[in-house]
Amino acid sequence: MEEIELRELIEILIDGRKTIAIITVISILIAAIFSFVIIKPTYEAKMLLMTSNMGGSNGNENLDPNNVEDMLELMSKMPDYNLETYRQQIKSPEVIAKTIEDLNLQDRFSLEGLAKKIDLETIKDTQMISIKMVDEDPELAAKIVNQLGKNFISFVTDLAQERAAKTFSYVEKQMEIEKDKYEEALLELKELLSEPRGAQELELELKSSYEQITQYKSNLNDLEIKRDALEKAIQESKAYSSNRGSMIVKPNLGESFNISFDDTNKVLAVDLADTLARIESTKEQIANLQDHIEEIQVEYQDKKYQEDVVRQKVDIAKKTYEAFVKKYEELRVAETAKIGELSISIVSSAYPPTVPVGPRKALNLAIATVLGLMIGVFVTFFKAYWESSGEDRQLKDGVEIGN
């Protein structure tokens, strides 16, 4: 295998320097013609938007769908709009079509064509989005970018208002239903309270019966004390009685007695008999009253349970109705609010640029220069290889003829 020395390569390049120079110059000229004559200059219009995270999901995990207020909150809560969501919406067919219609660009751009010319970029560590468009007409590019940004804000507002309107319509209808349920529960409670012997009346009667039975028991205790005293007095009378007459012992408060002698000793027996009769009567009254109290308690518990059930029904209906009324007022405001303008603001509008961004003439010439040099070197080496291989073949053929 033949070895090629560095000297030979340098000599080939020196010998082919004219070819390399000519090819390089031709490449530069072609690039210059395209950059300065054929290719028209293009301009970049840029608009900057500041967004906020509308909706958001913070706290959603703490909401209970089974709770009416939490359910309404989830229903009316705006979806989580992050930067990527906004990016996708800017180039949505609705926004692009509205921009083409507003600027009467139907003959110049299609939906796909205009969407391809729009470039979106999110600025790192910020909530900003830049909308860019490159076109040969700087004023048109600025108009399209500005109109696209405005239509995007309107699009977000329309989406939010449409969602709020649907939720508002549902809440309004359901609010009337919950109002009827609340009124029905109130009417049921009113009818229950108007019935005779209601829970409150029975409670008062039960309280009065307790007071009465307490009084009866107090009287019974007094009568039993009197009975014991009379029995003791009769015993004392028998012990101290004589032929002179009868001794009358009248009990005082406590355990003292007034003792007198009289022929009317039989009064104690009569008083004792009356006391015993009153004791039996009081016990019977207490027993009857206890039976009555038990009947009242059963009736009271039944009425109280019915009333508690209806009151609970009223409370639930009231809370549900109030939750719908509160959400109704919130949605009534949200339905007319311009959410897009609240969540998206224009930091800077696009202005017609004066400095073209393309073609990049210096870069094109530099690339043409490098490309021309490479092609020239390749042609030079190829030419040298072709000539050397031709001479070797002729020399080889001459040797074979000589033999």
Side-chain angles (χ1 to χ4, degrees):
M1 184 176 178
E2 297 183 2
E3 296 182 359
I4 301 176
E5 296 182 359
L6 179 60
R7 181 182 182 84
E8 293 179 1
L9 295 177
I10 296 174
E11 288 178 353
I12 292 173
L13 291 175
I14 293 174
D15 292 340
R17 60 185 180 277
K18 291 182 179 180
T19 302
I20 296 174
I22 292 172
I23 293 176
T24 302
V25 171
I26 293 173
S27 177
I28 294 173
L29 289 175
I30 293 173
I33 292 172
F34 271 92
S35 299
F36 289 91
V37 179
I38 298 178
I39 300 177
K40 295 181 180 179
T42 56
Y43 300 86
E44 182 184 75
K46 179 179 178 181
M47 183 183 196
L48 197 60
L49 301 177
M50 173 73 79
T51 66
S52 63
N53 190 5
M54 188 172 67
S57 58
N58 294 334
N60 282 1
E61 62 277 2
N62 297 324
L63 297 180
D64 182 9
N66 297 321
N67 182 277
V68 176
E69 294 183 358
D70 291 348
M71 182 269 292
L72 290 174
E73 183 66 23
L74 287 172
M75 183 186 303
S76 60
K77 196 174 185 64
M78 295 301 299
D80 186 10
Y81 282 4
N82 52 31
L83 280 176
E84 185 58 30
T85 305
Y86 287 127
R87 274 172 52 89
Q88 297 300 325
Q89 288 181 339
I90 292 175
K91 298 178 72 172
S92 63
E94 292 84 354
V95 178
I96 298 294
K98 186 69 168 59
T99 303
I100 293 176
E101 180 183 354
D102 291 343
L103 299 178
N104 297 319
L105 301 174
Q106 292 86 348
D107 297 334
R108 183 163 181 176
F109 294 107
S110 63
L111 288 177
E112 296 79 6
L114 183 57
K116 290 179 180 179
K117 291 182 71 69
I118 300 298
D119 183 32
L120 304 176
E121 180 183 356
T122 56
I123 301 177
K124 186 178 180 181
D125 298 330
T126 69
Q127 288 291 110
M128 292 190 291
I129 301 176
S130 65
I131 305 175
K132 301 177 183 179
M133 179 178 175
V134 177
D135 194 76
E136 298 173 358
D137 187 343
E139 293 186 359
L140 179 63
K143 288 182 180 178
I144 291 176
V145 169
N146 287 331
Q147 192 62 39
L148 184 69
K150 293 177 182 177
N151 288 341
F152 165 60
I153 296 175
S154 299
F155 175 73
V156 174
T157 298
D158 293 341
L159 280 181
Q161 289 180 344
E162 181 181 356
R163 177 182 175 87
K166 290 181 179 179
T167 308
F168 178 80
S169 177
Y170 166 77
V171 170
E172 185 177 23
K173 293 178 181 178
Q174 193 64 30
M175 183 179 67
E176 294 300 324
I177 296 175
E178 297 301 331
K179 181 181 179 182
D180 294 338
K181 291 182 179 180
Y182 180 40
E183 291 177 350
E184 290 176 2
L186 285 175
L187 181 60
E188 184 179 356
L189 178 61
K190 182 179 179 181
E191 292 176 352
L192 181 63
L193 294 177
S194 64
E195 292 180 358
R197 294 183 65 79
Q200 187 175 4
E201 181 181 348
L202 290 172
E203 185 178 5
L204 293 175
E205 184 177 350
L206 191 61
K207 182 179 180 181
S208 175
S209 298
Y210 279 126
E211 292 176 353
Q212 189 175 1
I213 198 172
T214 301
Q215 183 63 40
Y216 282 160
K217 288 182 178 180
S218 177
N219 293 338
L220 178 62
N221 185 57
D222 292 340
L223 290 172
E224 288 177 345
I225 292 174
K226 183 178 180 181
R227 179 200 61 191
D228 295 340
L230 287 172
E231 290 176 348
K232 187 175 182 180
I234 290 173
Q235 291 176 358
E236 293 291 334
S237 175
K238 289 180 178 180
Y240 291 99
S241 62
S242 62
N243 294 330
R244 293 176 298 174
S246 300
M247 181 180 65
I248 299 177
V249 180
K250 294 184 178 180
N252 290 328
L253 294 177
E255 296 183 355
S256 61
F257 302 94
N258 290 326
I259 301 176
S260 62
F261 295 92
D262 198 340
D263 293 334
T264 60
N265 195 21
K266 297 180 180 180
V267 173
L268 289 174
V270 173
D271 195 4
L272 178 60
D274 179 65
T275 301
L276 291 176
R278 290 175 62 187
I279 288 175
E280 293 300 323
S281 175
T282 303
K283 287 182 177 180
E284 183 178 354
Q285 289 178 336
I286 290 174
N288 293 335
L289 193 56
Q290 285 178 338
D291 294 337
H292 181 62
I293 288 175
E294 291 178 359
E295 293 176 358
I296 294 176
Q297 285 178 332
V298 173
E299 186 178 2
Y300 170 74
Q301 292 298 330
D302 182 59
K303 291 286 186 179
K304 187 70 167 58
Y305 173 75
Q306 295 180 15
E307 186 176 320
D308 289 342
V309 170
V310 176
R311 286 187 183 277
Q312 185 179 20
K313 185 178 179 180
V314 170
D315 291 339
I316 294 174
K318 180 182 178 182
K319 290 180 180 179
T320 304
Y321 174 64
E322 289 177 348
F324 273 93
V325 170
K326 180 181 178 182
K327 186 55 61 176
Y328 173 83
E329 294 298 328
E330 293 176 358
L331 290 173
R332 188 168 59 84
V333 176
E335 189 181 19
T336 58
K338 295 184 178 181
I339 303 299
E341 296 180 2
L342 296 176
S343 60
I344 306 169
S345 58
I346 300 175
V347 177
S348 63
S349 299
Y351 295 94
T354 57
V355 179
V357 295
R360 302 176 68 177
K361 300 174 183 178
L363 180 61
N364 292 344
L365 293 177
I367 294 175
T369 301
V370 175
L371 185 60
L373 288 172
M374 292 174 63
I375 296 174
V377 171
F378 174 76
V379 170
T380 299
F381 280 119
F382 183 78
K383 180 181 178 183
Y385 168 76
W386 189 265
E387 290 177 351
S388 62
S389 62
E391 292 177 356
D392 292 340
R393 181 176 295 275
Q394 291 177 0
L395 183 60
K396 184 178 181 180
D397 291 342
V399 172
E400 291 178 354
I401 293 173
N403 293 333

